[in-house]
Amino acid sequence: MLLTEKFILLALLLQTIEFRQIRSVFSAETGIWRQDDLRLGLPPFLRLFLLPAQGFEALLLFRMVLIVLTAFLPSAWGFWLLFLSQLLIQLRVRGPFNGGSDYLTTLSLLCLAIWRSFPTDSLLSQAGLLYLGLQLVSSYWIAGIAKVRHSEWRSGKALGLFLQLPKYQVPRRWHEQAFDNSSFLRWSTWAVLIFELSFPVVLLQPALCWLFLPIGAAFHWMNVRIFGLNRFFWIWLSCYPALIECTLWLNANF
Amino acid sequence: MRVLIPSWKFFDEAGHAASLRYRIGSSPQAWGDWQMPPSPEPDRGWKRLFLNARQNLHLAQGSLLERLLFEFSLSSHSNLSALQNETSYRLVKNWVKFEIQSQISAMTLDAPAHFQFEIQWHDFKDSSQATVLLSPVHEF
């Protein structure tokens, strides 16, 4: 978990720097996510925690300092505060900013805080480790199940459609070189589906991590190159050490 | 609770996307052309592995559209006036104003009197597109 801690802190630092780079969108007068508009959809209790623009900027700065401090002096308090800061950010941006990466970030911080809060060999501490590992496995397996049910994914057509989406701005030459080739799309799709659907086997045999985790890293790297999903790369790879510990624990105890 | 039990259904449905267009005018009778918010310059360099703020913002903005359309689909189509008071609508409206303000700041535009936006739905399977939401005219 120690490696997971360090990597997650790096992932958090990068996310926080990114929020600071786009902080104008949180401005009260000219921004997009304005506090006054966000308040409307919130129950009164949660409005208390909705930060104004200046407060949000202060939170980002505080979080950067806390990340560095926690990297050198890891503690349960540090991770609980980081978890709370993550909740405040999620509230301020009205939920996940970038989908699944935010969910796993929040979940990872919670599991790390729990792991740090109790003696290492205690059941509760191990629960934090196990839950993170199992959720990581689920993230691949459920994603695979969700895709394989659709004939468009099984034929490779869905991948082609995603690559056409304007929001990803995939270069035209990549389409000409590979992405317009239906065989390429079909083989690529099935490579991803097989990887995702078979991922749970790592729980049965820790040595399989040596096969699946490099493939996973390559998969997330390709998602950065093609779709720009850098946050997914850092947060998923951050959890890989925790997954290895999880599989070792499961095999030692069952 | 979603924090504890996330839904990991990534990319399960393919082939469609929402896009935003807006137009500005000195009066409701004098409109400029429909235009789209600028997309971030695609940076394929290694740096975007570490920091990719503009692209992540772009993706988050897309999520704003999807959420607005989802809430619009739940409401009556004639009830756009009620939808205007919803947070989702206000955030998209803020996005349009943000883009217009950016153009004003870059001195590529004079401050307009009014603006209007629409959300289009693109289906890449049959290459079709349709306007699914047209806002009323708003003062800038």
Side-chain angles (χ1 to χ4, degrees):
Chain A
M1 282 293 252
L2 294 176
L3 270 180
T4 286
E5 282 186 340
K6 296 291 186 275
F7 291 148
I8 280 178
L9 289 172
L10 174 60
L12 275 185
L13 185 62
L14 294 174
Q15 289 178 19
T16 309
I17 293 172
E18 284 186 340
F19 274 124
R20 283 209 31 95
Q21 288 180 330
I22 57 168
R23 59 186 180 273
S24 62
V25 301
F26 303 108
S27 158
E29 291 83 29
T30 58
I32 300 173
W33 285 268
R34 302 184 194 182
Q35 186 197 25
D36 287 344
D37 297 315
L38 291 166
R39 285 172 60 85
L40 293 173
L42 288 179
F45 169 70
L46 285 178
R47 289 180 195 171
L48 296 172
F49 301 99
L50 188 66
L51 295 171
Q54 299 93 330
F56 186 65
E57 282 201 41
L59 174 68
L60 295 177
L61 286 170
F62 168 73
R63 189 155 109 143
M64 288 169 75
V65 172
L66 183 59
I67 287 167
V68 173
L69 274 175
T70 308
F72 287 102
L73 295 168
S75 68
W77 277 111
F79 283 101
W80 279 115
L81 284 174
L82 286 169
F83 173 67
L84 286 175
S85 76
Q86 181 71 7
L87 293 181
L88 287 173
I89 289 174
Q90 301 282 274
L91 187 65
R92 189 58 174 78
V93 300
R94 203 176 178 227
F97 196 69
N98 285 131
S101 67
D102 291 311
Y103 285 127
L104 190 56
T105 301
T106 309
L107 186 68
S108 303
L109 288 171
L110 177 61
C111 290
L112 285 171
I114 290 172
W115 180 74
R116 274 276 173 188
S117 296
F118 301 97
T120 310
D121 293 335
S122 68
L123 191 60
L124 283 170
S125 177
Q126 295 304 319
L129 167 71
L130 289 173
Y131 193 70
L132 183 57
L134 291 175
Q135 279 296 333
L136 187 70
V137 170
S138 297
S139 72
Y140 289 118
W141 189 67
I142 292 174
I145 294 285
K147 293 187 191 78
V148 80
R149 294 183 314 167
H150 297 278
S151 59
E152 286 172 342
W153 272 108
R154 295 195 300 271
S155 68
K157 192 176 173 188
L159 180 58
L161 290 171
F162 271 110
L163 290 165
Q164 288 180 42
L165 291 179
K167 63 182 176 180
Y168 297 123
Q169 298 177 283
V170 177
R172 185 63 228 161
R173 68 177 188 280
W174 290 7
H175 286 282
E176 292 163 358
Q177 288 167 2
F179 297 156
D180 285 348
N181 183 312
S182 57
S183 291
F184 175 84
L185 290 175
R186 194 164 51 249
W187 282 106
S188 300
T189 298
W190 274 101
V192 171
L193 287 175
I194 290 169
F195 165 72
E196 289 181 333
L197 292 171
S198 62
F199 199 86
V201 299
V202 300
L203 296 175
L204 301 176
Q205 178 52 259
L208 287 173
C209 289
W210 290 109
L211 172 65
F212 277 83
L213 297 191
I215 294 174
F219 167 70
H220 288 294
W221 166 242
M222 289 305 298
N223 284 337
V224 177
R225 284 287 291 160
I226 297 170
F227 300 114
L229 302 177
N230 65 318
R231 290 188 175 196
F232 284 74
F233 176 89
W234 290 107
I235 200 62
W236 253 262
L237 266 65
S238 296
C239 296
Y240 281 2
L243 175 62
I244 294 172
E245 276 199 54
C246 176
T247 64
L248 288 170
W249 189 93
L250 285 172
N251 278 265
N253 290 277
F254 289 99
Chain B
M1 278 306 293
R2 283 200 77 179
V3 168
L4 296 178
I5 311 174
S7 164
W8 298 121
K9 294 181 182 176
F10 300 119
F11 295 144
D12 53 336
E13 294 181 9
H16 41 76
S19 68
L20 176 71
R21 296 200 312 168
Y22 62 92
R23 60 180 181 171
I24 55 179
S26 53
S27 73
Q29 291 77 36
W31 289 108
D33 293 332
W34 287 101
Q35 54 184 303
M36 295 180 72
S39 296
E41 194 73 26
D43 174 15
R44 300 284 160 187
W46 60 270
K47 288 179 190 173
R48 87 167 183 169
L49 171 64
F50 298 94
L51 297 171
N52 198 20
R54 286 193 180 180
Q55 171 73 1
N56 284 324
L57 172 61
H58 184 61
L59 295 176
Q61 288 167 333
S63 298
L64 289 181
L65 294 182
E66 290 167 8
R67 186 156 178 183
L68 174 57
L69 284 182
F70 174 71
E71 292 180 12
F72 186 49
S73 70
L74 295 178
S75 67
S76 163
H77 280 232
S78 62
N79 207 8
L80 189 56
S81 57
L83 190 67
Q84 290 180 58
N85 293 323
E86 298 295 327
T87 303
S88 295
Y89 185 93
R90 287 175 175 237
L91 295 187
V92 172
K93 181 178 157 191
N94 290 344
W95 177 14
V96 176
K97 293 179 74 174
F98 182 84
E99 297 297 340
I100 296 171
Q101 186 60 51
S102 298
Q103 290 178 280
I104 294 170
S105 299
M107 296 194 292
T108 59
L109 189 68
D110 295 326
H114 300 92
F115 70 94
Q116 187 181 32
F117 65 88
E118 66 174 13
I119 300 177
Q120 293 190 316
W121 187 252
H122 305 264
D123 191 324
F124 293 96
K125 296 175 202 172
D126 59 15
S127 302
S128 64
Q129 67 183 45
T131 298
V132 292
L133 190 154
L134 177 66
S135 81
V137 175
H138 292 291
E139 286 185 11
F140 181 71

